[in-house]
């Protein structure tokens, strides 16, 4: 492991394959995470609060919608750069990465891809700076893995749409100024729309009692005869593929992000294993502990190579949803295993908030559930291999 704080685990020198700009992005984001996230994050997790003051800082750093064209306030960067940002943020905490994933992939992406020119000019620049926050409402109380069953509806009244229904488990819900909401119309077609905070009949209560993603806001979106102006419908998309395309962008970012959490756990464990002595030796001298570290480094390295190639496919416009599913499934699972195994290397100390493993482990239980559960990604991969969908 490098002694340089800004350089971290990269056994196969993957960073040598980055452009100068991508290296600079990793260093800048990494430095910010070390300075602004790591020192405060355990405290915010303990009090179960999202550190909202970080939003403006992250906006200034270009952390939101990096792949959005400059014309709309984005940085016009490639998808590998987006992945690098997600990795560095999740090295800090999955909750910070979640906030940024939602803002970038689930709010800015659909406005940019499916929105009107007026919608893009109105919302994207403010989302890019963090002046406004967005959320994404797809999951409902009775429809999680099967979003196509959604019962939230819009009804055309002539002048506007009336929106009724509820969404659940929504990241950023109560702090969001706008929500991208997916609902069915009279023809049972899924439509996307921008619902503004403060609309009559719209509330966003926060969900409490989470042991996971404690430094992230999660809540409901409730719509009781909410008037949605017709100009707020995303005009250029219809059907379930709309939200699923957004998920592909977010799942790609999560595949990179999970590596950040794994690296943070691995690096803390290597350091501890060389400092802590039992039976007259550093515990890192024992073969059982070395195996845990060797397994972790091997899985991190494989995951890094997987996302780098995935990023190239994204940037070449060749990526498939099934390729993204495979990386999300693999990288979150290995990160969760690494969090569990490295925690054991620390013995009792591993359960405290002096070290990051327990927090990452608890966070990763959400990450392995949202954006398609581990099981759903297994089935997506099975569908890809056999051509037979086995979801229903
Ligand atoms: P199915 O018939 O397979 O697909 C409907 C249409 O969508 C297309 N499609 C996709 N397009 C782009 N990207 C993808 N990933 C796509 N998956 C499918 C598909 O080709 C089809 O197009 P068309 O033209 O034929 O209409 O749909 P299905 O109803 O059988 O469902 C399939 C299934 C189960 C894979 C899918 O619904 C699914 O992925 N379920 C998981 C649900 C999920 O991931 N929810 C996430 C909610 S958001 C969230 O968790 C945010 S967390 C944020 C954070 O804090 O970071
Ligand atoms: P269910 O779909 O009820 O699944 C329960 C279990 O059954 C799982 O183990 C699942 O794998 C399994 N299962 C389901 N179907 C099948 C099948 N066909 N075959 C085999 N097994 C199956 N959603 C949003 O829309 N926006 C957000 O911002 C958002 N943020 C979230 C933040 C957090 C912290 C969490 C925890 C969730 C968030 N979600 C969000 C919701 C998330 O996407 C859903 O929780 C997820 O899609 C799973 O849905 P469910 O919880 O209803 O589980």
């Amino acid at each position: 492991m490098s002694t340089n704080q800004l350089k971290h685990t990269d056994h196969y020198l993957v960073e040598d394959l980055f452009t100068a700009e991508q290296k600079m992005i990793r260093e800048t984001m990494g430095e910010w995470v070390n300075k602004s996230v790591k020192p405060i994050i355990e405290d915010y997790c303990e009090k179960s609060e999202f550190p909202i003051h970080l939003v403006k800082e992250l906006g200034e750093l270009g952390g939101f919608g990096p792949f959005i064209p400059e014309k709309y306030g984005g940085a016009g960067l490639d998808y590998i750069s987006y992945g690098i940002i997600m990795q560095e943020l999740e090295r800090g905490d999955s909750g910070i990465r979640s906030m940024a994933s939602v803002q970038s992939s689930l709010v800015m992406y659909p406005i940019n891809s499916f929105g009107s020119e007026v919608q893009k000019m109105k919302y994207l620049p403010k989302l890019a700076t963090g002046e406004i926050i967005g959320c994404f409402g797809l999951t409902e109380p009775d429809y999680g893995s099967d979003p196509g069953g959604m019962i939230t509806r819009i009804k055309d009244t002539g002048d506007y749409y009336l929106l009724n229904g509820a969404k659940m488990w929504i990241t950023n819900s109560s702090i969001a100024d706008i929500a991208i909401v997916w609902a069915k119309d009279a023809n049972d077609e899924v439509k996307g729309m921008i619902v503004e905070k403060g609309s009559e009949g719209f509330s966003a209560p926060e969900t409490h009692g989470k042991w996971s993603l404690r430094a992230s806001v999660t809540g409901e979106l409730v719509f009781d005869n909410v008037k949605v102006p017709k100009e707020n419908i995303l005009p250029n998309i219809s059907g379930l593929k709309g939200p699923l395309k957004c998920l592909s962008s977010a799942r790609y970012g999560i595949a990179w992000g999970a590596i950040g959490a794994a690296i943070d756990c691995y690096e803390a464990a290597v350091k501890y294993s060389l400092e802590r002595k039992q039976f007259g030796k550093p515990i890192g001298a024992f073969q059982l502990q070395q195996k845990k570290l060797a397994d972790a480094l091997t899985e991190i390295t494989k995951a890094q190579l997987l996302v780098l190639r995935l990023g190239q496919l994204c940037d070449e416009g060749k990526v498939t949803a099934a390729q993204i599913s495979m990386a999300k499934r693999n990288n979150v699972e290995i990160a969760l295993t690494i969090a569990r195994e490295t925690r054991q290397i620390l013995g009792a100390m591993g359960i405290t908030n002096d070290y990051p493993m327990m927090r990452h482990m608890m966070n990763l239980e959400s990450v392995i559930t949202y954006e398609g559960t581990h099981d759903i990604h297994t089935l997506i991969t099975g569908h890809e291999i056999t051509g037979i969908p086995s979801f229903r």
Side-chain angles (χ1 to χ4, degrees), residues 136-139 144-145 168-171 213 218 366 369-373 375-376 379 391:
F136 176 91
L138 179 65
T139 306
S145 297
M168 200 175 178
W169 302 114
I170 307 304
T171 300
L213 283 190
T218 314
S366 283
T369 300
Y370 66 34
E371 295 279 3
T373 64
D375 297 333
I376 289 295
L379 299 182
F391 306 107

Short mmCIF file of all heavy atoms in Angstrom, two decimals, residues 136-139 144-145 168-171 213 218 366 369-373 375-376 379 391, ligand 2:
data_model
loop_
_atom_site.label_atom_id
_atom_site.label_comp_id
_atom_site.label_asym_id
_atom_site.label_seq_id
_atom_site.Cartn_x
_atom_site.Cartn_y
_atom_site.Cartn_z
N PHE A 136 -35.88 10.64 -6.97
CA PHE A 136 -36.39 9.79 -8.05
C PHE A 136 -37.39 8.81 -7.46
O PHE A 136 -37.03 7.98 -6.61
CB PHE A 136 -35.19 9.04 -8.63
CG PHE A 136 -35.46 8.02 -9.71
CD1 PHE A 136 -35.47 8.38 -11.05
CD2 PHE A 136 -35.64 6.68 -9.39
CE1 PHE A 136 -35.65 7.43 -12.06
CE2 PHE A 136 -35.84 5.73 -10.39
CZ PHE A 136 -35.85 6.11 -11.72
N GLY A 137 -38.64 8.90 -7.88
CA GLY A 137 -39.67 8.06 -7.30
C GLY A 137 -40.13 6.98 -8.27
O GLY A 137 -40.92 7.24 -9.18
N LEU A 138 -39.64 5.76 -8.04
CA LEU A 138 -40.09 4.62 -8.84
C LEU A 138 -40.74 3.58 -7.92
O LEU A 138 -41.87 3.15 -8.14
CB LEU A 138 -38.90 4.00 -9.60
CG LEU A 138 -39.24 2.77 -10.46
CD1 LEU A 138 -40.19 3.14 -11.60
CD2 LEU A 138 -37.96 2.14 -11.04
N THR A 139 -40.03 3.18 -6.86
CA THR A 139 -40.50 2.12 -5.97
C THR A 139 -41.77 2.54 -5.21
O THR A 139 -41.86 3.68 -4.76
CB THR A 139 -39.40 1.80 -4.93
OG1 THR A 139 -38.20 1.50 -5.64
CG2 THR A 139 -39.78 0.64 -4.04
N GLY A 144 -41.67 -3.18 -5.65
CA GLY A 144 -40.25 -2.87 -5.52
C GLY A 144 -39.47 -3.44 -6.70
O GLY A 144 -39.19 -2.74 -7.68
N SER A 145 -39.20 -4.75 -6.65
CA SER A 145 -38.46 -5.40 -7.74
C SER A 145 -39.27 -5.40 -9.03
O SER A 145 -38.70 -5.53 -10.12
CB SER A 145 -38.13 -6.85 -7.36
OG SER A 145 -37.29 -6.86 -6.24
N MET A 168 -42.07 4.89 -2.13
CA MET A 168 -41.47 4.55 -0.84
C MET A 168 -39.97 4.28 -1.00
O MET A 168 -39.55 3.87 -2.08
CB MET A 168 -42.16 3.30 -0.31
CG MET A 168 -42.00 3.11 1.16
SD MET A 168 -42.97 1.68 1.66
CE MET A 168 -42.57 1.67 3.38
N TRP A 169 -39.23 4.47 0.07
CA TRP A 169 -37.78 4.22 0.08
C TRP A 169 -37.06 5.16 -0.88
O TRP A 169 -36.22 4.71 -1.65
CB TRP A 169 -37.44 2.77 -0.28
CG TRP A 169 -38.05 1.76 0.60
CD1 TRP A 169 -39.00 0.84 0.28
CD2 TRP A 169 -37.75 1.56 1.99
NE1 TRP A 169 -39.31 0.08 1.37
CE2 TRP A 169 -38.55 0.50 2.43
CE3 TRP A 169 -36.88 2.18 2.90
CZ2 TRP A 169 -38.53 0.05 3.75
CZ3 TRP A 169 -36.84 1.73 4.20
CH2 TRP A 169 -37.66 0.67 4.61
N ILE A 170 -37.40 6.44 -0.82
CA ILE A 170 -36.85 7.37 -1.81
C ILE A 170 -35.70 8.19 -1.21
O ILE A 170 -35.90 8.98 -0.28
CB ILE A 170 -37.96 8.31 -2.35
CG1 ILE A 170 -39.17 7.48 -2.85
CG2 ILE A 170 -37.42 9.25 -3.41
CD1 ILE A 170 -38.85 6.44 -3.93
N THR A 171 -34.51 8.00 -1.79
CA THR A 171 -33.33 8.75 -1.36
C THR A 171 -33.54 10.25 -1.63
O THR A 171 -34.03 10.61 -2.70
CB THR A 171 -32.08 8.24 -2.11
OG1 THR A 171 -31.91 6.86 -1.80
CG2 THR A 171 -30.82 9.01 -1.71
N LEU A 213 -27.23 3.23 5.73
CA LEU A 213 -27.29 4.55 5.09
C LEU A 213 -27.86 5.59 6.05
O LEU A 213 -28.78 6.34 5.70
CB LEU A 213 -28.14 4.50 3.81
CG LEU A 213 -27.52 3.89 2.57
CD1 LEU A 213 -28.38 4.13 1.36
CD2 LEU A 213 -26.12 4.40 2.30
N THR A 218 -33.82 9.11 3.53
CA THR A 218 -34.71 8.18 2.83
C THR A 218 -36.14 8.49 3.27
O THR A 218 -36.36 8.75 4.45
CB THR A 218 -34.39 6.71 3.21
OG1 THR A 218 -32.99 6.50 3.16
CG2 THR A 218 -35.08 5.72 2.29
N SER A 366 -27.88 -1.85 2.14
CA SER A 366 -28.82 -1.11 1.27
C SER A 366 -28.38 -1.17 -0.18
O SER A 366 -29.19 -1.34 -1.09
CB SER A 366 -28.89 0.37 1.68
OG SER A 366 -29.66 0.54 2.82
N THR A 369 -29.33 -4.02 -2.03
CA THR A 369 -30.80 -4.13 -2.15
C THR A 369 -31.35 -3.15 -3.18
O THR A 369 -32.23 -3.50 -3.97
CB THR A 369 -31.46 -3.86 -0.78
OG1 THR A 369 -30.98 -4.84 0.14
CG2 THR A 369 -32.97 -3.91 -0.85
N TYR A 370 -30.83 -1.89 -3.15
CA TYR A 370 -31.44 -0.91 -4.07
C TYR A 370 -30.83 -1.00 -5.46
O TYR A 370 -29.86 -1.70 -5.68
CB TYR A 370 -31.44 0.50 -3.49
CG TYR A 370 -30.15 1.24 -3.25
CD1 TYR A 370 -29.04 1.13 -4.04
CD2 TYR A 370 -30.09 2.18 -2.20
CE1 TYR A 370 -27.90 1.88 -3.82
CE2 TYR A 370 -28.96 2.94 -1.96
CZ TYR A 370 -27.87 2.78 -2.78
OH TYR A 370 -26.75 3.53 -2.56
N GLU A 371 -31.49 -0.30 -6.37
CA GLU A 371 -31.06 -0.31 -7.79
C GLU A 371 -31.09 -1.74 -8.34
O GLU A 371 -30.24 -2.12 -9.15
CB GLU A 371 -29.65 0.26 -7.93
CG GLU A 371 -29.55 1.71 -7.56
CD GLU A 371 -30.00 2.63 -8.68
OE1 GLU A 371 -30.44 2.12 -9.72
OE2 GLU A 371 -29.93 3.84 -8.49
N GLY A 372 -32.06 -2.54 -7.88
CA GLY A 372 -32.14 -3.94 -8.27
C GLY A 372 -31.41 -4.76 -7.22
O GLY A 372 -30.22 -4.54 -6.96
N THR A 373 -32.15 -5.69 -6.58
CA THR A 373 -31.51 -6.51 -5.55
C THR A 373 -30.46 -7.42 -6.21
O THR A 373 -30.49 -7.64 -7.44
CB THR A 373 -32.54 -7.40 -4.82
OG1 THR A 373 -33.09 -8.32 -5.77
CG2 THR A 373 -33.67 -6.59 -4.19
N ASP A 375 -30.47 -10.55 -6.14
CA ASP A 375 -31.22 -11.61 -6.83
C ASP A 375 -31.68 -11.16 -8.21
O ASP A 375 -31.59 -11.92 -9.18
CB ASP A 375 -32.48 -11.99 -6.02
CG ASP A 375 -32.16 -12.57 -4.66
OD1 ASP A 375 -31.07 -13.16 -4.52
OD2 ASP A 375 -33.01 -12.44 -3.75
N ILE A 376 -32.21 -9.95 -8.28
CA ILE A 376 -32.71 -9.45 -9.58
C ILE A 376 -31.57 -9.37 -10.59
O ILE A 376 -31.73 -9.73 -11.76
CB ILE A 376 -33.44 -8.09 -9.40
CG1 ILE A 376 -34.78 -8.29 -8.68
CG2 ILE A 376 -33.64 -7.38 -10.74
CD1 ILE A 376 -35.84 -9.11 -9.43
N LEU A 379 -30.92 -12.71 -11.93
CA LEU A 379 -31.92 -13.11 -12.94
C LEU A 379 -31.71 -12.37 -14.25
O LEU A 379 -31.96 -12.93 -15.33
CB LEU A 379 -33.34 -12.85 -12.40
CG LEU A 379 -33.73 -13.62 -11.12
CD1 LEU A 379 -35.17 -13.32 -10.75
CD2 LEU A 379 -33.55 -15.13 -11.31
N PHE A 391 -38.37 -13.79 -14.24
CA PHE A 391 -38.81 -12.88 -13.17
C PHE A 391 -40.21 -13.22 -12.67
O PHE A 391 -40.58 -12.92 -11.56
CB PHE A 391 -38.82 -11.43 -13.68
CG PHE A 391 -37.51 -11.00 -14.26
CD1 PHE A 391 -37.36 -10.85 -15.63
CD2 PHE A 391 -36.41 -10.77 -13.45
CE1 PHE A 391 -36.15 -10.47 -16.18
CE2 PHE A 391 -35.20 -10.40 -13.97
CZ PHE A 391 -35.06 -10.25 -15.35
P1 LIG B 2 -39.01 -6.84 -2.93
O1 LIG B 2 -39.13 -6.55 -4.39
O2 LIG B 2 -40.25 -7.02 -2.15
O3 LIG B 2 -38.07 -8.11 -2.76
C1 LIG B 2 -37.99 -8.84 -1.54
C2 LIG B 2 -37.08 -10.05 -1.76
O4 LIG B 2 -37.64 -10.87 -2.79
C3 LIG B 2 -35.69 -9.66 -2.25
O5 LIG B 2 -34.74 -10.53 -1.67
C4 LIG B 2 -35.76 -9.89 -3.74
O6 LIG B 2 -34.49 -10.20 -4.31
C5 LIG B 2 -36.69 -11.09 -3.81
N1 LIG B 2 -37.39 -11.17 -5.10
C6 LIG B 2 -38.23 -10.27 -5.67
N2 LIG B 2 -38.63 -10.67 -6.86
C7 LIG B 2 -38.02 -11.85 -7.11
C8 LIG B 2 -38.00 -12.77 -8.20
N3 LIG B 2 -38.69 -12.54 -9.33
N4 LIG B 2 -37.25 -13.89 -8.09
C9 LIG B 2 -36.51 -14.13 -6.97
N5 LIG B 2 -36.49 -13.30 -5.91
C10 LIG B 2 -37.23 -12.18 -5.98
N6 LIG B 2 -36.35 3.32 -4.89
C11 LIG B 2 -36.60 4.41 -5.68
O7 LIG B 2 -37.47 4.38 -6.54
N7 LIG B 2 -35.89 5.57 -5.50
C12 LIG B 2 -34.92 5.70 -4.56
O8 LIG B 2 -34.30 6.76 -4.45
C13 LIG B 2 -34.65 4.58 -3.71
N8 LIG B 2 -33.74 4.68 -2.71
C14 LIG B 2 -33.59 3.65 -1.81
C15 LIG B 2 -32.78 3.84 -0.69
C16 LIG B 2 -32.65 2.82 0.25
C17 LIG B 2 -31.82 3.04 1.48
C18 LIG B 2 -33.29 1.58 0.03
C19 LIG B 2 -33.11 0.46 1.01
C20 LIG B 2 -34.09 1.39 -1.07
C21 LIG B 2 -34.27 2.43 -2.00
N9 LIG B 2 -35.15 2.30 -3.09
C22 LIG B 2 -35.40 3.38 -3.92
C23 LIG B 2 -35.95 1.10 -3.24
C24 LIG B 2 -35.20 -0.09 -3.83
O9 LIG B 2 -34.95 0.07 -5.18
C25 LIG B 2 -36.04 -1.34 -3.54
O10 LIG B 2 -35.94 -1.58 -2.15
C26 LIG B 2 -35.57 -2.55 -4.33
O11 LIG B 2 -35.79 -2.36 -5.72
C27 LIG B 2 -36.24 -3.85 -3.85
O12 LIG B 2 -37.61 -3.71 -3.71
P2 LIG B 2 -38.34 -4.16 -2.32
O13 LIG B 2 -37.56 -3.55 -1.20
O14 LIG B 2 -39.76 -3.83 -2.46
O15 LIG B 2 -38.10 -5.71 -2.24
#
